[in-house]
Amino acid sequence: MSEPIRVVVTGAAGQIAYSLLYIIANGEVFGKDQKLVLTLLDIPPMMGVLEGVVMELHDCAFPLLTEVIPTADPAVAFKDVSAAFLVGAMPRREGMERKDLLSANVKIFKVQGEALNNHAKKDVKVLVVGNPANTNALICSHFAPSIPKENFTAMTRLDQNRARAQIAQRLGTDISNVKNLIIWGNHSATQYPDAANGTANGKPVTDLVEASYLQSDFVTTVQKRGAAVIAARKMSSAMSAAKAAADHIRDWWHGTESGRFVSMGVVSDGSYGIPKDIVFSFPVEIKNKQWKIVQGLKLDSFARSKLDITTKELLEEKEEAMAVCNGN
Ligand code: NAD
Ligand code: LMR
């Protein structure tokens, strides 16, 4: 059994955290032999609710959970953390786009970037879930200059899981047989879910599913799935978001198996002609806790046009976020 690591979950009194904390504390992210100290950050008015969450974590009697620290102080929450799940932010309501949350939420990620910079381990792995996730991750990294940019990521794993589920259902096959679907770009309605490199039972998805579906309903269903969940539940996705956050950090921590790639929002290095310094979802492979963008995949003119649209949106979000953070 290894020494405990410190892991922070923000928005810990909220609905995603309620599902996520169970998965983490049960050893399903960092492994069944990794002891954990969980620090739970929320805002002062939520401390009462958070106390109830702490009681439940204790009552779960998780063998790996050595300590739980609820707090409203980022300096306490981020102290020496090895992994950070940044969930805490306002969710959208019906009729909103995720970028409508930008002005309210981006300031949270400025403060938390500064707190990570001052208190976290320098090799901390950061996952931003709070929306608009890509741009929040960019801002967080910007305000944490002492931590490598590669350590800041945004969640598009939920979109990837949604894409896999759509293809598995269409083909009537087990989801574990569906691999290498890619989410390009922003976690928003401009993202491009791409099946061109996907396989199902080892065969190309493009040989099994009509192109007319892959270029239309498949794309829009995944792009708009978050809104569909909100319309039905009157609240945004929580169980599936928690599962995706756990999948994202588990793969980052333990690596991806050979020949399988996963989608993560990462700071662009210019791959595939995407401008540097926006957080863009790419296919990545992970080894020794380092992700690498999968290179050399073919993009046809349809795919390229979709990437252009989502890139444009991310550049606009970046400009707006910087203006908010600079008080303009
Ligand atoms: P929620 O309202 O249930 O919980 C959010 C929690 O964050 C609340 O307890 C709130 O008090 C807390 N919070 C607010 N400001 C904070 C701050 N400065 N520091 C710490 N905590 C703070 O919302 P939720 O359903 O858990 O969703 C959280 C976020 O995740 C939303 O922005 C939502 O849109 C986003 N989300 C992203 C994805 C994705 O795929 N990237 C998926 C689902 C939801
Ligand atoms: C999702 O994709 O479910 C989340 O980003 C929540 C939302 O606002 O759609």
Side-chain angles (χ1 to χ4, degrees):
M1 194 68 73
S2 38
E3 281 300 296
I5 53 166
R6 293 172 80 92
V7 174
V8 60
V9 177
T10 74
Q15 54 151 3
I16 294 175
Y18 196 72
S19 293
L20 177 59
L21 288 168
Y22 179 93
I23 308 176
I24 298 171
N26 202 33
E28 291 166 40
V29 176
F30 299 98
K32 293 282 182 188
D33 58 356
Q34 179 59 66
K35 288 194 172 179
L36 301 167
V37 173
L38 275 179
T39 64
L40 308 183
L41 181 71
D42 213 293
I43 52 177
M46 296 305 285
M47 287 301 106
V49 174
L50 192 54
E51 207 41 59
V53 174
V54 174
M55 284 184 221
E56 286 208 69
L57 281 168
H58 288 311
D59 297 348
C60 285
F62 291 116
L64 296 171
L65 192 56
T66 59
E67 198 180 348
V68 186
I69 304 170
T71 180
D73 181 355
V76 174
F78 290 105
K79 177 102 191 96
D80 292 336
V81 290
S82 296
F85 293 82
L86 304 188
V87 180
M90 198 197 283
R92 67 173 165 154
R93 304 265 172 241
E94 212 168 344
M96 293 169 78
E97 288 299 330
R98 296 180 188 90
K99 65 183 165 198
D100 298 335
L101 299 167
L102 195 146
S103 59
N105 284 346
V106 84
K107 293 178 201 141
I108 296 174
F109 292 87
K110 175 182 178 185
V111 171
Q112 293 184 357
E114 289 164 349
L116 281 158
N117 193 56
N118 294 335
H119 304 288
K121 290 187 138 189
K122 296 302 172 203
D123 63 352
V124 61
K125 311 274 175 284
V126 181
L127 167 62
V128 174
V129 175
N131 278 318
N134 297 52
T135 298
N136 288 338
L138 183 74
I139 292 301
C140 203
S141 161
H142 182 79
F143 287 97
S146 70
I147 298 171
K149 282 183 190 175
E150 291 73 26
N151 296 23
F152 292 85
T153 63
M155 189 163 95
T156 51
R157 186 59 172 266
L158 177 53
D159 309 289
Q160 179 190 310
N161 288 347
R162 288 167 171 163
R164 286 179 75 200
Q166 291 301 314
I167 297 295
Q169 281 171 28
R170 186 142 185 119
L171 293 175
T173 189
D174 193 292
I175 196 151
S176 54
N177 298 326
V178 179
K179 295 185 181 151
N180 293 355
L181 301 179
I182 299 170
I183 305 299
W184 299 95
N186 201 2
H187 173 64
S188 78
T190 67
Q191 66 179 267
Y192 178 47
D194 176 12
N197 299 280
T199 60
N201 298 301
K203 299 196 185 90
V205 169
T206 48
D207 288 356
L208 303 171
V209 183
E210 324 79 85
S212 57
Y213 168 75
L214 293 177
Q215 295 201 345
S216 59
D217 285 2
F218 169 64
V219 173
T220 51
T221 300
V222 178
Q223 286 176 332
K224 295 183 185 160
R225 188 66 158 188
V229 171
I230 293 171
R233 247 170 58 85
K234 310 300 169 207
M235 287 192 293
S236 59
S237 64
M239 178 171 53
S240 56
K243 162 69 167 52
D247 287 347
H248 178 119
I249 295 281
R250 185 200 59 234
D251 285 347
W252 198 355
W253 202 259
H254 297 288
T256 50
E257 72 202 45
S258 166
R260 187 176 75 93
F261 40 82
V262 293
S263 295
M264 281 168 54
V266 300
V267 180
S268 171
D269 61 356
S271 293
Y272 294 98
I274 303 303
K276 288 186 181 176
D277 294 329
I278 53 175
V279 170
F280 195 93
S281 180
F282 288 100
V284 303
E285 290 171 313
I286 306 166
K287 227 185 196 172
N288 302 324
K289 297 192 171 65
Q290 309 286 327
W291 54 261
K292 241 172 85 181
I293 296 172
V294 177
Q295 299 294 335
L297 301 176
K298 292 225 159 48
L299 290 167
D300 61 17
S301 58
F302 178 78
R304 186 50 74 183
S305 69
K306 295 287 182 195
L307 263 59
D308 288 347
I309 293 169
T310 197
T311 299
K312 181 169 176 284
E313 182 182 49
L314 281 166
L315 289 169
E316 286 164 4
E317 283 188 20
K318 175 180 175 178
E319 196 175 322
E320 188 184 338
M322 287 301 181
V324 171
C325 290
N326 294 328
N328 298 330

